[in-house]
């Protein structure tokens, strides 16, 4: 006699029912809100993160939670919902090859520099940019300002404080760590804080890249948009990249993540180096200016 199949432990031990239909509703809502495309493989991750929201709101089912979200399109829970589903993996000087390129780029300009870090997460990236600028100009007060944005208000709060566990600096040189961080003492032992000069260089603000308008203006010398486009589908990527163009100086640089390729999304940018792009108009002008081999014959 064949035994009936038993449910796995994970299926029977879940606190809340979470069906494929619930997951599809979550995918639809976060795509419309933030442009994020969740793969089928993210179902367990979504359950884990949103189950916390059910507990926090005192609700007993995903159906009720999602119904409430749809019923209140401007409700406060939308912010928590979006924050819960935003992935924030970052570190100081992540993809380190970008920062020498940035340093060389800004040295040519000397003053009134503006840089936009469009997915700042908990702040490691904009602070890495700030450190690079300080080192490039040999001063703790370089002639530059950084706008750092993220859709997740929780990580922005962490970023603006500039306080981190000491082990976040493990891969940083001791000289750089001493120059740009203050070690905590007493109750703050095991923590470090970014020096005030770096914090003064950066303005943190909330921004949804999918929004019709962005609370940023001016022309940027560089835009960092790293490891965020992978969460968007190609049409959404193209829409965002198109909106970057008028916000960049003619010789501005766009820094992408190591697994992102914009060449198949838009013709507005051309590859300048490893995951570094420039405006196509500048690339074409540079190509025209290159000396051509003389015909012999």
């Amino acid at each position: 006699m064949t035994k009936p199949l038993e449910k796995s432990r994970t299926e029977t031990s879940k606190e809340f029912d979470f069906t494929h239909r619930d997951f599809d509703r979550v995918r639809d809502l976060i795509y419309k809100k933030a442009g994020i495309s969740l793969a089928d493989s993210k179902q367990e991750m979504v359950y884990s993160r949103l189950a916390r929201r059910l507990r926090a709101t005192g609700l007993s089912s995903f159906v009720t939670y999602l119904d409430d979200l749809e019923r209140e399109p401007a409700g406060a829970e939308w912010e928590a919902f979006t924050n819960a589903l935003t992935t924030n993996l970052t570190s100081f000087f992540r993809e380190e090859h970008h920062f020498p390129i940035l340093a060389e780029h800004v040295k040519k300009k000397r003053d009134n520099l503006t840089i936009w870090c469009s997915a700042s997460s908990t702040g490691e990236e904009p602070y890495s940019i700030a450190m690079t600028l300080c080192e490039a100009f040999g001063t703790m007060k370089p002639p530059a300002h950084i706008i750092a944005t993220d859709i997740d208000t929780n990580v922005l709060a962490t970023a603006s404080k500039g306080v981190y566990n000491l082990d976040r600096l493990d891969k940083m040189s001791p000289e750089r760590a001493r120059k740009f961080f203050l070690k905590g003492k007493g109750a703050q032992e095991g923590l470090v804080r970014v020096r005030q000069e770096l914090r003064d260089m950066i303005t943190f603000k909330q921004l949804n890249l999918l929004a019709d308008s962005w609370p940023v203006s001016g022309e940027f010398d560089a835009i960092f948009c790293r490891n965020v486009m992978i969460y968007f589908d190609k049409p959404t990527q193209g829409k965002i990249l198109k909106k970057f163009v008028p916000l960049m100086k003619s010789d501005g640089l766009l820094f992408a993540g190591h697994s992102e390729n914009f060449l198949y999304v838009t013709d507005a940018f051309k590859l300048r180096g490893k995951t570094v792009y420039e405006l196509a108009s500048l690339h074409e002008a540079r190509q025209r200016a290159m000396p051509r081999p003389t015909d012999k014959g």
Side-chain angles (χ1 to χ4, degrees):
M1 183 175 174
T2 305
K3 291 184 178 180
L5 291 173
E6 295 182 358
K7 289 187 176 181
S8 69
R9 185 172 180 178
T10 55
E11 287 179 308
T12 57
S13 62
K14 278 186 176 175
E15 183 178 354
F16 307 100
D17 286 335
F18 187 57
T19 66
H20 286 297
R21 184 174 184 276
D22 296 330
F23 179 56
D24 286 340
R25 288 180 71 188
V26 171
R27 289 206 289 190
D28 184 56
L29 290 172
I30 196 63
Y31 180 79
K32 289 177 179 177
K33 182 69 174 179
I36 296 171
S37 296
L38 292 171
D40 291 341
S41 59
K42 299 296 183 182
Q43 186 163 337
E44 288 301 315
M45 179 272 286
V46 168
Y47 172 84
S48 175
R49 295 186 180 186
L50 291 185
R52 299 171 198 161
R53 296 309 310 154
L54 267 67
R55 296 184 200 106
T57 55
L59 298 175
S60 59
S61 77
F62 274 90
V63 172
T64 304
Y65 178 74
L66 298 173
D67 284 348
D68 286 352
L69 281 176
E70 292 180 327
R71 193 179 301 113
E72 298 287 342
E77 181 58 26
W78 274 100
E79 182 175 301
F81 171 76
T82 303
N83 289 351
L85 296 177
T86 304
T87 301
N88 294 291
L89 176 64
T90 187
S91 61
F92 289 106
F93 292 96
R94 185 183 184 189
E95 301 188 42
E96 194 170 4
H97 64 279
H98 281 158
F99 296 97
I101 296 171
L102 174 66
E104 288 303 312
H105 182 61
V106 299
K107 284 178 184 177
K108 301 172 186 176
K109 295 175 167 282
R110 304 305 304 175
D111 57 9
N112 298 321
L113 293 161
T114 53
I115 296 172
W116 178 19
C117 175
S118 66
S120 67
S121 187
T122 46
E124 287 90 338
E125 183 169 286
Y127 287 126
S128 297
I129 294 170
M131 286 183 263
T132 299
L133 297 178
C134 289
E135 292 171 346
F137 288 97
T139 174
M140 291 294 286
K141 294 186 177 182
H145 185 66
I146 301 163
I147 304 294
T149 65
D150 202 282
I151 192 174
D152 188 333
T153 53
N154 289 334
V155 297
L156 285 173
T158 298
S160 63
K161 293 174 184 174
V163 176
Y164 301 93
N165 289 326
L166 180 60
D167 60 11
R168 300 293 288 168
L169 309 188
D170 283 350
K171 295 182 180 180
M172 190 178 296
S173 71
E175 295 77 17
R176 186 175 267 170
R178 283 194 297 269
K179 183 175 182 179
F180 295 114
F181 294 86
L182 299 172
K183 273 190 176 183
K185 298 179 180 179
Q188 302 301 314
E189 189 173 355
L191 300 175
V192 292
R193 185 167 195 168
V194 178
R195 287 188 178 271
Q196 188 64 46
E197 293 92 335
L198 267 64
R199 295 166 62 203
D200 289 343
M201 292 172 60
I202 306 171
T203 298
F204 291 98
K205 58 175 65 178
Q206 196 271 345
L207 182 145
N208 183 351
L209 287 170
L210 202 65
D212 292 332
S213 61
W214 294 338
V216 294
S217 59
E219 294 184 326
F220 293 100
D221 295 279
I223 295 177
F224 279 68
C225 187
R226 307 193 305 171
N227 306 302
V228 62
M229 289 290 202
I230 55 175
Y231 299 107
F232 302 140
D233 58 18
K234 288 293 190 290
T236 303
Q237 291 177 13
K239 178 182 176 182
I240 293 169
L241 290 169
K242 184 177 180 180
K243 289 175 71 174
F244 280 158
V245 173
L247 294 175
M248 297 181 68
K249 291 182 180 177
S250 60
D251 61 347
L253 298 181
L254 174 62
F255 292 86
H258 70 279
S259 60
E260 296 167 324
N261 188 336
F262 298 158
L263 296 179
Y264 298 103
V265 180
T266 178
D267 57 4
F269 292 92
K270 297 294 183 182
L271 192 64
R272 174 171 172 174
K274 186 179 178 183
T275 58
V276 180
Y277 295 81
E278 62 188 4
L279 292 170
S281 55
L282 177 66
H283 179 86
E284 290 162 1
R286 184 179 288 116
Q287 291 294 107
R288 289 195 296 270
M290 289 179 64
R292 302 191 178 195
T294 305
D295 289 336
K296 295 182 180 181

